[in-house]
Structures are given as C-alpha cells and as structure tokens.
Amino acid sequence: MNDRYSFLNTIHLNDIEFLYNKYQDNPNSIESSWRAFFHGFDFGNNKSKNILKSVNYDTIKKEFLVYNLIHDYRKRGHFFTNTNPIRKRRKHFPSLDLKNFGLSEKELDTHFEVGKLIGIGKTSLRNIIHHLKKIYCGSIGIEYMYISSPEKVQWIEKWFEKEKLKFYPEDKKFFLKKLNEAVTFENFIHTKFVGQKRFSIEGNESTLPALEEMIEYASDRYFTKDFMIGMSHRGRLNILSNFFKKNYSQIFSEFQGKEYKEKEFSGDVKYHLGFSNKRKTRKNRYIKMNLVPNPSHLESVDAIVEGITRAKIDMIYNQNSNSENIIPILIHGDAALSAQGIVYEVLQLSQLKGYRTGGTIHIVINNQIGFTTNYIEGRSSIYCTDIAKTLMCPVLHVNADDVEAVIRSMYFAVDFRMRYHEDIFIDLLGYRKYGHNEGDEPRFTQPSLYKAISKHPNSYELYKKKLEKEKIIDNNDVKDMEKEYENILNTKYNEASNIKWNVLNSFLEEEWKDFPIIYNNEEIFKQVDTQFPIEKILKISDQIFSLPKKKKFFKKTEFIFQQRLKMIKKELVDWSMAELLAYGTLLYEGFHIRLSGEDVARGTFSQRHAVVKTEEEEDIILLNHICERQGKIQIFNSPLSEYGVLGFDYGYAMYSPHVLTLWEAQFGDFVNGGQIIIDQYISSGENKWKIRNGIVLLLPHGYEGQGPEHSSARIERYLQLCANNNLFVVNCTTPANFYHLLRRQMKLKYRKPLIVFTPKSLLRNTKCLSSIKDLSEGMFQDILDDPSTKDRNKITKLIFCSGKMYYELLNQKESIKDDKTALIRVEQIYPLNIEKIKVLINKYKNQKKIFWVQEEPENMGLWSFILRKIGDIISFNLIAPSENSSPSTGSYPGFLKTQNKILKKAFL
C-alpha cells in the first residue's frame, strides 16, 4: 500500500478523540480535510455528542477511509478524467483504486455517513464512487484544492456536487446549430479559398456555442452589458463571423485579396483585425461586444484587453472594479499560455488596486500542440494552465467534444467570476484538424497524432448523433438547418464579388468619432492654444503645494513643499512643479488623468510627490482637491513590469481619448521590456488597425555616469518607428515647454502617442527653470533658438542639440565666454519641423559651420535620423562619442572624460 495511506491502519479511537477535541476548541487548529470531516458530521450537536464513544472503532476507521477517498477524488480526480478526445491520458500514481485507500469491493454495498459530505446522504460506497466519478472524472476535470480559502473551496464543491444541470431541447438545438455554423464555415472557406491561411477552429468547434451561452447566461442572470474579448488567430474568423456577426461577404472579400479603400492605411491580415458590435441575445437583451485587434505576438493582447476593461469601468461603470456590467474574456492557445511571460504579468495585475477588472474568464483553445512542437517539448508543467495556480485560480479541464460539459463549465466560470471577482481558467482540450495554417503538413512531425485526428468525428457529428438518439432532432431537421446556413454563405460569397474595396473597420469607432486621424503636416505643425490664466495657475499652485496643516508629515516632505511655495512666490517653477501644474490645470478644465508605472507616486528621483503620505501612511493626492467639478487624477505605482503594465495603460488610453494616460519607465532603457507593445501597437496600431491612441510615455534619459542601463532610453529605436506622422517624439529642455506639451496632448483635436524623453539631473538644475508667465502665456515650441543671442550677425557657428546636452554646452559656452556660437534645441524630434529649421538657419547669415552635438554614441541618439531627414539640405558636422555596442560606460571618471572631450571639440 502507498505510504500516503498506510497511517490509516494505525489510527486509534484516541487519535480521533484528540483531533475532535482540538476541533471543538479551535476548528482552524487542525488540517482542513479533518476540519471539513468533523463539520460535515456535525459532531458538536446534542444528538451526536457522544458519537465517538457509541460507535464501533472499525466503523469509524472505515468512515475515515471513505472520507480520504472523497478527498482524493476532489484533489486528484482531474488526473483520471475523460477530457482528452484524441489521446490516451498520461498515467498518474497512485490511482483512485479502492486498494489504495485500505478499502475493497467487499465494502461496495456498505452504507457510509460520509455520503453526506457530497450531498447524497448516507449511502453505499458504490453510490459514493459513482457520484464522485460523475462529478470529478467525467468530461470535466476540476483543479481547486490548492485554494487557501475554505469558504471558496466549499462553494466550488457545492456548485459541482449539486444536481447536474439539464438543458431544454431548444437549448440543445441551438448548440447544434452553432456547431454546424462552426464546421460549415470552415469547410466553406477550405473549398472556396484553397490553400489560404485561416487558422481554423476545427477541433475546438464547441468554443462557438460556449461563447454564445456565456453571454446569454451572464446577461440574463447578472445583467452584464459589455464583453471585452482578446484572442489570437486560431478560430478568429469563425468567431468574427458567427459570434460577432461581422458580415460574411466582407470576410470573403478579404480572402479575395482586395486593396483597402483607405490608401493611407496598410491594414493587416484578416485574422488580426478587431471588431466592435452591438447585438441582441436570444432573450433580446442588448449587449456590447468588442474583439481587440492583435498582432502575431499571441498573448500581447491580454494586457490591452484588461486596460480597455478598466477604462470602461472607470468611465462608464462608476469606478466599480467589481462591476458585473463588463467581463473581460481572454482566449488563449495552450502553447502560448504556458510559455509567454506576459500571461504571468497580467495575472499579477489582476488583484491590484490600479489594475483590477473584476476577474477575467480565460478560455484555452487547447490544440495539444504549438505549430510543430509537442506539449512535452513546450512546457515543464503538467498542464498548460498551471500558471493559474500562482493566484490560486480554479481550473476546469474540459473535453471540447462534449459541448454540454463545455457549456456547463462556462456557467461555472461566470458564477465564480461574479461571486469572487477573480480569474478563472477553462482548458478546452481539443485538437487542430489541419496544420498550423492549413498550408502546413503536420504529418511531417506528428504522424501518429494526425492519423488519429483524421479518423476522429468532429463535435458536430458527435452531438448530432446524441440528439438523434435522444429524439430531439430528426434527419429532416438537420438537413433544413444545414441547407439554410449553406444558402447564407453562398449568397454572401456572391455578394463579395461585387465589393470593389475592402474597408478597414475601426475598432471602438463610436468612442473615437470626434477624433479624426490626421496625417498632413499642416495640421500636425499647427500651433495649439495651451495658455491658462496666471491668477488661476497661482491659485492651483497654492492648492497643490500646500500640505494640510492638521496632518503630520515627514520633515523632508514638508521642506520640499515649503520650497515649492517659495518658488511660486518668485513666480518660478522647476520641472516637477511644471508637470504637476500641467496636471492641475487640465484637471481644473475637467480632464481626467491616469499616471502609472514603477514608483510614479513619489517619482524614481524623489521629484514628483504627487501622492504624499502622512506619518500614519495615509495617502493624500492634493491634485484631487483643486476645485469642485474638476477632473480626477489616478496615480498608481505598478509592479516591476514594463510589458504588462505598458500594455495595460495603452489599452486604457485606447478607450479613453478624454483621459490623459501616462506611463513612466523607472529609467528610460527599462522600457525595452515593453518593446513588443511599442512595436506592435503604439507605433503601428493606427496604420494597421485604424486605431487612435493618445498614451504618453515618460522615459528618463540622460548621460550622467550612472552606467549603460541608467543613461539611454534608446531614442534611435523610436525614430526608426516614426513614419506618416504616427508619433510625437519629444525631448524638452525647459519646464514650460514640458508643461505646454502635456497640455497640448489633450488640446489637440486628434490623438497620437507621445514619447517624452524626460531628464534626471535637470530636475534640480538651477538653470532648468521657467517663469509662471511662460506657463500662462506661452505655448509648446518644437524648435528653440538661442535666447542669449543678441546680435545674429556675430554668430559664425550653429550647434544643434537636443535635451540635457544643451545645458552642458551652455555651461561651456559661458565659461569660455563664447559669443560666436548659437545653441539651437530640437525639442520635438518627430515630426521634425524642417521648414522651421531652415528659416531659423537663414536668420544667421554669417554662420560658417553647423554642428550636430550629442552625448549618445554616433550609432545611437538622433544623429542617424537627423542625417536621413535633413542631411541633404544642411551640411552637418557630427560631434559625438565614437560608435559603441553599449550605450555608455559604467565609470563616472570615464564618463566625464568622454563628455569633456565632446564639449571642448564643440567650441574649438
């Protein structure tokens, strides 16, 4: 016998009495399974007060042996299920055989009290086992016993151990209809568009009726109005057509390879596109459904979905992160779910204050293969869903061929999500009928598997036979249903031939109808009024820089705010004050703001203090106490994540054009952890998917001898992504310009992502100051001329630069008392105002040399971009460190040596 159970042979009545006495004193002092046993028997009531003395010891022992059997079915039953439609299950030990529990077939007809624990009363062991197998070893395998909450565990057990859900004949006919649509749609495309990629849903067709029934159940029982869905390409076209109701003719037209009508958009492949729709459920409830566009980076969409969901919660569902009005649904592939780190990052966000969305329903379209990689090569864990255990999320493993079991799992997922507002995973074990993209030959690498698949009937055929056997349908019903759907497809196919152009449907079009997509330079370079009355700036300053007098604060905090008030009296502001005043004035005007990222509340450089803490650690956000009817600012320190958090905030900004959404990297170079979001969404989403987004990225940048990862935000990488006026890329040098830049972002009549390279040492540089008058009367300047130049005719040298380098050049210029050099700052790097630069140069009629000076190595920074954009117009001489594979040295003396060399060369 397995050691796991051998102790049962030595159990004595005294042991049970000892445990029971402990249970009476404190139920939490004993192991949970024993606690549940005593609770189930109600040992404490008057009728059974002396039960331990009145029953036979062997009887008690056998009761505990059967209790252990029940416990193991609950804990390990998922290993012995009928959940895999095409493969034999791996064997797990020990099994659930009676002998492993000290029991035998002799006890099968013996009645046991522990039957009460599973809701069937005192009954025979045979009935207990039959009941347990039906619940825990059928088409659904349940993993939940690792959950630490006893209440949650008991709720799950009660849900599954209650009488099995029964479906009405009309429901079953509907499930069959959706299975037919899933299968027939794929077959239709397979024959009409031979060899084209479609990433078919075949092998997991039950996903379609499952989604239908999920929205039906959630909207009817919980009045859910909104479903936000993210999924990769597998089954996407089927879901778009048969669930989201995208016009078949449009999909067929896309298969025909027609060009897009909107020539300014490059578009994307059809199985990456997003879609938004309002539709009725079968019970005539109106719901909103959104399928978020996504790239081939399969799980990257997860964070976007959560961000959009949170924005909707904040904007329209009353900031209730446990809202039942909206459900985020993520549809994963098994290989991507188990392998990609973004899944873990998004899970870690799920219960945090600033990122909570009320629980996500995760559905895994489990093909049991990743392109050509078998699951034994693709993960170390037993299940692809084992990552769910990090947050103790329940997991259901379901045979995708058993559509009724799949539907039942969806009901459970909705009920669990609505009760606990936590994530839940449903692992639909199916298969992939063809190769990865229908043009692939899977038998190259999985001959045995695909031999089995070729002989396996699809879920539609299986369910059709089941309903015929139940006499719910007959052959005529089936023929009529199949013919009706085939006629629809044929009609739409014929209509597609009359479509001249493909149209790129804009995702979330309703929310963005007032914000056009702008490409032309005339509009891009148009000055925007960002002025704000000086008296109101002073009033706002007093509100946000004055700590509450009745609260106790750390002395250094008090000193910082006292210094800010002193500067306001001098009508001066530093960088951090200008940033906070930009937020304050926008809030005053009714805009909302969201700021998130690592350490943003205080600021990585202790510069921001947008959230101040009392000595009792009470959080105070003074920006939310400016005036009545102001906008609201939300400020959240994020986990140590770039990929997940940046994706979340990009998603947030995707839904909310009226919110200034900012994400800050702890140091600029760390943003490369979120490079997928930048490459696949921020820079290209407008062109690929007609998506507009106004997210602001704050990336600390500047060479100060702090090592490679604390110097460069890799400006050159963003400039490689710039085209068609898709981004704003800015490196401001004055607090006023930064202030106007942030205000401009919300005053524009359109939205573009804004990348800002923010300073570090300049946060406290005494020269990096602006007057309040500059904030009130000025506006954003994309190019800044040298303010110290009094006579342009004396100037013989022009030095162009960007960012912090300006101040170091200025110090050098002043120290040698140079009056023949003008320092010109490129503040907005992209879109680059070339005409303005040409006009400015022409004003310096006696200039003989023009230099571009940067602190980044020659192969980094702005140089390559500047040379490409205006090198044929202006003859620049470069002054920069020599090319390097690393952004900078880790030696402070080495840094100073390089920097001084640049400065001396600039003024030779």
Side-chain angles (χ1 to χ4, degrees), residues 881-899:
S882 57
E883 65 178 26
N884 205 336
S885 58
S886 175
S888 74
T889 177
S891 162
Y892 185 69
F895 155 74
L896 287 178
K897 185 177 179 181
T898 302
Q899 204 80 337

Side-chain angles (χ1 to χ4, degrees), residues 844-862:
Y844 291 95
K845 300 187 183 299
N846 295 323
Q847 57 84 14
K848 295 182 177 67
K849 289 185 178 180
I850 302 178
F851 291 87
W852 178 264
V853 180
Q854 64 180 42
E855 56 186 347
E856 301 88 355
E858 179 182 343
N859 57 316
M860 301 179 190
L862 276 65

Side-chain angles (χ1 to χ4, degrees), residues 551-566:
K551 305 282 185 181
K552 290 185 177 180
F553 297 92
F554 181 49
K555 285 186 178 180
K556 284 188 177 179
T557 305
E558 290 178 343
F559 176 77
I560 289 167
F561 278 78
Q562 288 167 2
Q563 291 300 110
R564 286 176 172 176
L565 289 172
K566 286 180 181 178

